[in-house]
Amino acid sequence: MAYIIDGKKISQEIKDELKVQAEALRSKGMVGALAVIQVGDDPASSVYVRNKKNACAYIGIESLSYELKSSTTQQELLDLIRKLNGDDCVKGILVQLPLPEHIDENAVIQAISPQKDVDGFHPENVGAMVIGQEGFLPCTPAGIIQLLKRSKIEIAGKHCVIIGRSNIVGKPMALLMLREHATVTVTHSKTRNLKEVCKEADILIAALGKPQFITADYVKEGAVVIDVGIHRDAQNKLCGDVKFDEVEPLVSAITPVPGGVGPMTIAMLMHNCVESIAGKE
């Protein structure tokens, strides 16, 4: 029977720790707000934005909400970001992705001040991560590191296979696992013999964006499996990139969907927000 890694429980522990830290900062007069910008009314984005605001309220951080029409121009969005960059009361800026097709996501990410880039997507923060300097880390990969560490799962010396090479999860995940002294293999859509490569993993991280793609054939007995995906199956139930019922009996530890990686992303966003208020970036 696999150990089920409880992301809800671990994320709550982190938020409780951050609540104490935010109160300590407030007692020294160190406060600040997170500005959350949503362009359009995509239902999934609206849920994520609401969750982020609720987390801010729990931690004790002010959140400012900017809900813009989907017809908002790129220049109007960039002008708002520039205004928030110059507002000393705003310590973090988050633009909910994806954006409407007429807006260049890269231009928007690069417009956010690196010191307020609590998503950890700005090239300056990404570069700092690559060379091991201080900077905001992207929330999902940082959350996965915390899931492993707080579950007492050894990373150093282990072979970690990551399925997916996105800028948001796959690539930064590889860098953070290297930082923890894992041996890392990154696989993707052009990888040959994907099943064989995955079966070599001590820690398998699935971030490929295909529902229930990873079956027992991809997993070594006793491996640790981290499922980053979130989808709806044919019955409209939430599922991940991993076929949980088939893989779980084989492995030593696994994250469920929902309740695994997802809550950690918001917990680590809150971590970055508290760091930004403390003046660390």
Side-chain angles (χ1 to χ4, degrees):
M1 182 68 72
Y3 172 70
I4 307 300
I5 301 172
D6 189 343
K8 281 186 181 176
K9 176 173 174 285
I10 295 170
S11 68
Q12 189 61 49
E13 288 171 5
I14 291 171
K15 286 189 287 187
D16 287 342
E17 291 165 11
L18 292 170
K19 191 174 186 178
V20 173
Q21 291 174 33
E23 176 59 40
L25 290 169
R26 242 189 337 271
S27 70
K28 299 175 188 174
M30 298 171 76
V31 294
L34 169 66
V36 182
I37 304 170
Q38 181 180 358
V39 184
D41 55 2
D42 175 74
S45 291
S46 297
V47 170
Y48 292 136
V49 166
R50 185 167 67 247
N51 289 343
K52 287 163 186 175
K53 290 179 193 170
N54 290 342
C56 282
Y58 184 82
I59 302 296
I61 298 170
E62 185 184 357
S63 63
L64 306 173
S65 184
Y66 297 86
E67 293 165 5
L68 310 180
K69 293 179 181 176
S70 56
S71 59
T72 298
T73 67
Q74 179 168 310
Q75 192 55 54
E76 287 169 334
L77 178 55
L78 293 175
D79 287 345
L80 173 58
I81 291 169
R82 194 171 297 113
K83 177 185 163 194
L84 295 170
N85 281 340
D87 186 341
D88 290 340
C89 295
V90 173
K91 300 298 185 185
I93 301 171
L94 185 152
V95 179
Q96 183 64 40
L97 302 178
L99 290 166
E101 286 185 4
H102 66 277
I103 297 177
D104 179 358
E105 285 187 3
N106 284 329
V108 170
I109 288 167
Q110 291 180 37
I112 298 170
S113 164
Q115 287 73 38
K116 299 187 179 188
D117 166 43
V118 287
D119 261 333
F121 294 161
H122 191 283
E124 194 170 305
N125 283 318
V126 174
M129 176 177 57
V130 170
I131 59 175
Q133 291 187 352
E134 288 293 315
F136 291 123
L137 297 176
C139 301
T140 300
I144 290 169
I145 296 293
Q146 287 299 313
L147 275 182
L148 293 168
K149 286 186 168 182
R150 289 175 184 245
S151 300
K152 304 287 191 290
I153 292 168
E154 183 82 26
I155 302 174
K158 297 295 180 71
H159 183 195
C160 173
V161 175
I162 298 162
I163 314 171
R165 53 178 168 179
S166 72
N167 290 335
I168 292 174
V169 180
K171 289 176 189 173
M173 192 74 249
L175 289 163
L176 294 187
M177 292 301 282
L178 282 172
R179 188 184 287 190
E180 298 297 330
H181 311 296
T183 298
V184 178
T185 300
V186 179
T187 67
H188 45 78
S189 59
K190 304 297 184 192
T191 299
R192 295 177 183 176
N193 305 318
L194 180 62
K195 283 184 183 178
E196 288 78 2
V197 176
C198 290
K199 281 184 86 84
E200 294 174 4
D202 301 311
I203 301 172
L204 182 66
I205 300 175
L208 67 161
K210 292 187 178 182
Q212 300 184 327
F213 183 87
I214 301 302
T215 59
D217 296 345
Y218 287 80
V219 181
K220 177 173 75 174
E221 191 170 344
V224 173
V225 175
I226 305 293
D227 190 350
V228 183
I230 186 153
H231 316 277
R232 294 272 178 189
D233 65 13
Q235 287 74 45
N236 203 37
K237 289 176 69 176
L238 286 171
C239 66
D241 289 348
V242 176
K243 201 161 189 176
F244 183 90
D245 292 344
E246 190 176 301
V247 170
E248 186 266 339
L250 280 175
V251 300
S252 60
I254 188 168
T255 58
V257 177
V261 172
M264 297 299 296
T265 300
I266 290 178
M268 298 315 292
L269 172 67
M270 293 300 104
H271 169 82
N272 285 350
C273 289
V274 171
E275 292 283 277
S276 71
I277 292 168
K280 299 173 187 173
E281 85 288 332

